[in-house]
Amino acid sequence: MPSGRQFAAYLWPALLAAGVFWLAWDEGTYGLTSRNSVAVVVLWAIVLASAASLWPAARVPGPALLSGSLLGAVAIWTGLSALWAASPEKAFNEFDRVFLLLAVFALAVVAAPRGSARRWLAGLALGLTSVGVIALVSRLFPHSFGDTAQLAQVFPTASKRLSFPVDYWNGLATLVAFAIPCLLYFAAESRAVVRGLAVAPLPALVATLYLTSSRGGWVAAAIAIVVLMTVTSRRWATAGALLVGGAASAGTVAVLLARDELVDSPLTSSVAESQGRSAALLIALLCAVAGAAYGLLAIVVPVPPRASRTASTAFAAVLVLVSLAAVVAVHPVRRYEHFKEIPPELTGASVQEHLFSTSGNGRWQWWSAAADEWETRPVVGRGAGSYEAWWAEHASIPAFVRDAHSLYLETLGELGLVGLALLLAFLVSCIVPGVRRLGGRSEEERAAVAALLALVAAFLFEAGIDWMWELTAVSAVAILALGLLTGPATEAAFSGLKAVETRRRVSPALRIAVAAVAFGLIVAETIPLLANMEVRKSQQSVNSGNLAQALDQAESARSIQPWAATPYLQLALVQELGGQIDEAHSSIEHALENDQSDWRLWLVAARIQTKAGDIAAARESLAEARELNPKSQLFAG
């Protein structure tokens, strides 16, 4: 019978894996309701475990306190920006987002015993791999999880590019890239059976990565592998896993290349279903062969030979030369100019065509807009959540965009130099201790730190070219890894069987203060959660024809979040449907007082003012809506 400590050692990775999987399964936990619900759960877990003296599980290191304080400063600055932002509601929502990530960071710090990184990596590997495999199953067997084609109705390219269950192909690809260094850690550090099991999913994950057609995902995976190979102490074992897994992965890509209908027309072709079944059999076989082959290799060569310093230097030099030659061969200047061009219409492009395209798909235009926003208020920015309105008003191409597709540039535009400096200081304060912890550790401990650094490197790249900060399933995993790098999990384990860590006793007064702060954060997260839930209930009541109930629910949302525009908008729409035009006019005016940057509010106001007979005001509102979104097809002509 396993002891209680052994049971906990198995339970915690399983819980972490389930949490990671759920974040991805819930459409990446992108929605406000989903995100705030997760924040409340995490905060309550920290409060209750701290009150019961279960956490912190170890003495909190100085680097973790510094990094946590810097992330808290980012959150506070984000919240303060509501004072000068055009939309306090959006700024408050961004404030809640950062505090969720701060709660995840705190969880990784206080819940981790010293030297427990292996346990956390097991949970991450299991959860991330499950997401990648489930995504592949949804493509090979398209009716396994109900209707997975809903996103394709809004974005036609989604019918080709695999995105389930995250609902964003690049987000799914990033999670797959995160899984690779976690699996390679176990492929190089565990017993032969576990090594084989760690390599076995790699071909399936590469198949998922290919079907997403995510160029950023491939680059992120490559960055993770390069960082891991650079800093791990088990390079030969890792290289062997990459060689075996890579060979089988090439086989899975070949399987997909031979099945065009499955790859490019999975939802509209009956042929794709038969191709999916045959591909599933072949991919499963390749996974089994890769796992068995590497497991046997681990038995035959349990301890791979160590390369000399000269051999390692020569190998690194060859890699650098090959990389430089590859860069020169692709004509970087020409590619850069193509990247900056206004994006062509790619709805008909195949997965392979998109994968090898160098078009920026509008990113250069979005990044340029963020830089232009920053120039208007370089020190403090225009306020958190302001980019969407800025782009709508100053867009260079007709496209709806909510985020700048770059964490760093969007932070610069919305929070100014102060916000960007705080964000970069937080990231650096996590990475530097992680790099320092590579020294003076056992091989296993160093390999764990290397895997976490590789995961973080992949995130830092993806966050710079896409909206991964806003996709909770991605950002929460990355912030968790940053917390592990600075917290007790990656500290050196104690030597000796009887070594016991002594923790400082936390005074009751300090526990009460921590609980009070946590309760305040829970309230902050609950406010938009409850308001949004009431708005959704009101919308559902409207759909069912119960306007009286819809009105009560809209008024409830307004009372919960009176500074927000959304509850007043819903109230105005319900009153308009009920024929209460004067009341609707008053409500939409209040919505505009809370957010004058949203062109949609002005458009609704124009309609209500027309019904109220105030034609002059309606014309002014319509002109304001057109000015705030001049590229919209609604105002064409």
Side-chain angles (χ1 to χ4, degrees), residues 9-54:
Y10 288 106
L11 178 62
W12 184 242
L15 291 175
L16 178 59
V20 170
F21 183 84
W22 179 254
L23 289 177
W25 182 264
D26 190 18
E27 299 177 352
T29 316
Y30 175 76
L32 178 64
T33 301
S34 298
R35 190 181 76 226
N36 286 6
S37 299
V38 171
V40 171
V41 170
V42 173
L43 285 168
W44 270 115
I46 294 174
V47 169
L48 296 178
S50 300
S53 299
L54 299 176

Side-chain angles (χ1 to χ4, degrees), residues 422-616:
L422 290 174
L423 174 66
L424 295 179
F426 161 68
L427 295 173
V428 171
S429 71
C430 295
I431 296 171
V432 170
V435 173
R436 288 180 175 175
R437 289 182 179 183
L438 290 170
R441 300 292 191 272
S442 66
E443 285 193 352
E444 181 177 334
E445 291 170 338
R446 177 172 176 174
V449 174
L452 291 170
L453 284 172
L455 189 156
V456 168
F459 171 74
L460 294 179
F461 168 76
E462 283 284 52
I465 66 167
D466 220 325
W467 48 276
M468 295 303 151
W469 182 259
E470 289 79 13
L471 195 60
T472 307
V474 173
S475 57
V477 170
I479 294 296
L480 185 78
L482 290 170
L484 296 175
L485 282 174
T486 61
T490 51
E491 285 190 315
F494 291 103
S495 59
L497 297 177
K498 296 183 178 180
V500 178
E501 183 182 19
T502 58
R503 291 182 290 167
R504 295 179 180 176
R505 293 178 60 86
V506 180
S507 66
L510 182 58
R511 288 190 180 277
I512 293 174
V514 170
V517 172
F519 278 122
L521 296 179
I522 290 173
V523 171
E525 294 287 347
T526 304
I527 288 174
L529 171 62
L530 294 178
N532 192 55
M533 290 175 64
E534 289 298 312
V535 169
R536 286 192 174 186
K537 290 179 182 178
S538 178
Q539 293 168 343
Q540 292 170 357
S541 297
V542 169
N543 292 334
S544 63
N546 192 342
L547 291 184
Q549 186 174 14
L551 184 64
D552 291 340
Q553 291 161 338
E555 289 177 343
S556 176
R558 179 192 58 184
S559 64
I560 294 172
Q561 203 173 14
W563 64 85
T566 300
Y568 279 106
L569 172 62
Q570 178 62 20
L571 185 59
L573 293 174
V574 175
Q575 290 167 337
E576 181 188 10
L577 284 174
Q580 303 175 19
I581 303 302
D582 291 339
E583 291 82 354
H585 185 274
S586 176
S587 296
I588 198 64
E589 288 294 330
H590 280 95
L592 287 170
E593 290 175 4
N594 291 339
D595 184 2
Q596 295 190 359
S597 65
D598 192 336
W599 64 274
R600 289 159 295 199
L601 296 178
W602 289 101
L603 190 62
V604 173
R607 187 179 69 229
I608 293 176
Q609 288 163 346
T610 299
K611 292 181 179 181
D614 194 348
I615 305 303

Side-chain angles (χ1 to χ4, degrees), residues 133-214:
V133 172
I134 287 294
L136 180 60
V137 170
S138 74
R139 172 58 63 91
L140 301 179
F141 304 97
H143 304 295
S144 301
F145 303 99
D147 183 12
T148 60
Q150 295 179 357
L151 186 64
Q153 298 173 3
V154 181
F155 300 104
T157 54
S159 63
K160 301 179 185 295
R161 305 175 65 180
L162 180 59
S163 60
F164 178 84
V166 182
D167 268 5
Y168 184 46
W169 41 86
N170 290 334
L172 174 61
T174 304
L175 292 176
V176 170
F178 287 174
I180 291 175
C182 297
L183 289 173
L184 290 176
Y185 164 77
F186 289 99
E189 293 297 330
S190 301
R191 294 170 297 179
V193 174
V194 179
R195 288 187 182 187
L197 291 174
V199 169
L202 289 177
L205 294 180
V206 170
T208 300
L209 194 58
Y210 176 78
L211 290 171
T212 63
S213 188
S214 173

Side-chain angles (χ1 to χ4, degrees), residues 610-636:
T610 299
K611 292 181 179 181
D614 194 348
I615 305 303
R619 287 175 176 171
E620 293 179 0
S621 296
L622 185 61
E624 186 68 24
R626 182 185 294 111
E627 184 176 346
L628 291 175
N629 192 8
K631 296 287 185 180
S632 174
Q633 293 298 316
L634 290 174
F635 307 121

Side-chain angles (χ1 to χ4, degrees), residues 54-60 109-114 488 501 503:
L54 299 176
W55 294 344
R59 180 188 57 83
V60 178
V109 172
V110 301
R114 190 169 184 176
E501 183 182 19
R503 291 182 290 167

Side-chain angles (χ1 to χ4, degrees), residues 274-327:
S274 62
Q275 289 185 352
R277 290 191 293 269
S278 61
L281 179 61
L282 292 174
I283 292 174
L285 181 61
L286 287 167
C287 289
V289 169
Y294 188 70
L296 290 174
L297 180 63
I299 294 174
V300 175
V301 189
V303 182
R306 290 183 175 275
S308 64
R309 183 179 296 273
T310 302
S312 299
T313 304
F315 181 70
V318 170
L319 285 180
V320 171
L321 290 175
V322 171
S323 300
L324 290 176
V327 170

